[in-house]
Amino acid sequence: MSFGGGKVILLGEHGVVYGRPALAVGLERGAHAKASIHATNVLDIATWNLRVEPDPQGELLARAFAEALSRSTPDAPVRVQVDVELPAGAGLGCSAAVGVAVIAALDELRGVERSRVDLGHEAIHWERVFHGNPSGIDNMIAACGGAACYRKSEGLDRITFDRSFWLVVGDSGEASSTKERVAEVARFHERDRAGAERIFDAMASLAQNGRLAIEAADHPRLGRLMDLNHALLNALMLSTPRLEELVAAAREAGALGAKVTGAGGGGCMVALCAEEQRAGAVRASLEGLGASSFITEVRS
Ligand code: PMV
């Protein structure tokens, strides 16, 4: 089975579309795909009970699948079977995880060998179908995993550190479209270029400081930076009352910081904890509010 991972952005979403750095970590959960020779080209996503045929003018998945096939070595038709372990439209990089898994499965069937970095670059074409103007962070982390700083002009830069930390991810249950959120931010940027640039610059310095905080295992500082980043996302109107409720509950339960993650306007929030036990308490508080959630350990 070929794998593409989900991701959580710790600092810098949206600013990263405008060339600023962002910090993200890959998730162990994501999408698994397998390709086999078949009578016609078909993409089967059992998790969503979905069967899609490639169509350059069709729905998003049909278009993305057509794009992946057209860029892969022409050969016999294929069936690609996919299992997805992430909620879609929730800010966890689901479309990129599926794209990376599908492309890796096609590569495997057709004997194409490429590095995970090249696989990540290839998946930007899949992401463009879904997101219009993606920064590239989702597809690169989906392919390469780990904790990394990403910048459009520089690509992924892996972060190494000594002490693990825990993230609690809570789902607002409100689906959101990354493409629409990115377009809204673009409209704000057109209306008030100087104001938007100031926000992106502030996000960039949070991401740069966040990297140092991770390297120094200064988790309280990382948490404060996440809180500040949440305020900036709020200034871009990317939170919702439900996300505010979950972020407040996580902080109340002892998280070191909490924020919207990914495109926002719905989707998930993420909270930081330095110990596993605290993460359990934060998770319980989110579940108490009816939010589905999970804990992930970020290992060095
Ligand atoms: O919502 P997601 O998981 O697709 O994350 C989007 C991250 C953005 O910075 C908002 C967009 C991008 O392309 O980087």
Side-chain angles (χ1 to χ4, degrees):
M1 285 291 238
S2 301
F3 178 70
K7 64 96 201 27
V8 176
I9 298 184
L10 294 181
L11 294 165
E13 51 274 268
H14 287 286
V16 67
V17 175
Y18 295 81
R20 290 359 183 243
L23 291 191
V25 299
L27 295 173
E28 274 167 18
R29 56 182 72 201
H32 300 266
K34 186 173 166 36
S36 53
I37 303 297
H38 195 64
T40 58
N41 283 315
V42 59
L43 177 66
D44 276 328
I45 306 191
T47 328
W48 300 335
N49 223 348
L50 207 64
R51 167 163 278 212
V52 175
E53 286 170 13
D55 179 356
Q57 316 302 334
E59 295 291 310
L60 294 178
L61 263 173
R63 273 163 48 197
F65 186 39
E67 177 76 11
L69 288 173
S70 75
R71 299 182 57 82
S72 150
T73 324
D75 209 336
V78 290
R79 176 184 188 206
V80 185
Q81 292 164 275
V82 185
D83 286 314
V84 189
E85 302 160 327
L86 298 166
L92 300 182
C94 181
S95 63
V98 172
V100 164
V102 167
I103 295 165
L106 290 172
D107 281 356
E108 196 181 320
L109 181 71
R110 292 175 170 167
V112 174
E113 285 190 18
R114 58 178 136 204
S115 67
R116 293 297 287 188
V117 169
D118 287 345
L119 177 62
H121 286 305
E122 178 62 24
I124 189 83
H125 301 285
W126 174 285
E127 275 292 89
R128 280 199 186 117
V129 173
F130 283 90
H131 293 165
N133 180 26
S135 65
I137 191 168
D138 284 15
N139 42 295
M140 293 311 293
I141 293 276
C144 302
C149 184
Y150 175 85
R151 199 177 184 134
K152 259 185 184 177
S153 57
E154 285 156 28
L156 270 195
D157 187 8
R158 181 65 54 109
I159 304 176
T160 51
F161 52 98
D162 293 331
R163 264 186 55 201
S164 291
F165 52 92
W166 282 263
L167 299 175
V168 188
V169 178
D171 193 342
S172 68
E174 305 162 320
S176 180
S177 156
T178 301
K179 191 175 191 164
E180 283 168 24
R181 297 294 83 76
V182 169
E184 278 166 18
V185 173
R187 282 195 288 277
F188 171 62
H189 187 250
E190 265 165 39
R191 274 198 316 275
D192 179 5
R193 198 184 170 89
E197 290 286 327
R198 268 198 303 275
I199 292 177
F200 300 145
D201 283 341
M203 287 179 172
S205 79
L206 296 181
Q208 275 148 356
N209 280 296
R211 179 192 189 131
L212 299 176
I214 292 177
E215 286 169 345
D218 189 347
H219 301 135
R221 181 161 146 226
L222 180 61
R224 285 195 297 277
L225 296 168
M226 288 169 66
D227 285 346
L228 289 169
N229 195 159
H230 182 71
L232 293 173
L233 291 168
N234 246 318
L236 292 172
M237 315 276 274
L238 291 166
S239 190
T240 66
R242 176 65 171 161
L243 282 164
E244 288 305 301
E245 183 181 32
L246 300 182
V247 163
R251 289 176 185 157
E252 190 101 332
L256 295 170
K259 63 182 274 292
V260 165
T261 189
C268 290
M269 47 71 66
V270 60
L272 172 74
C273 298
E275 300 101 26
E276 190 171 11
Q277 208 181 346
R278 177 67 62 191
V282 169
R283 180 169 186 216
S285 81
L286 299 179
E287 297 271 329
L289 290 170
S292 67
S293 64
F294 64 89
I295 297 175
T296 187
E297 180 182 354
V298 184
R299 291 190 204 94
S300 51

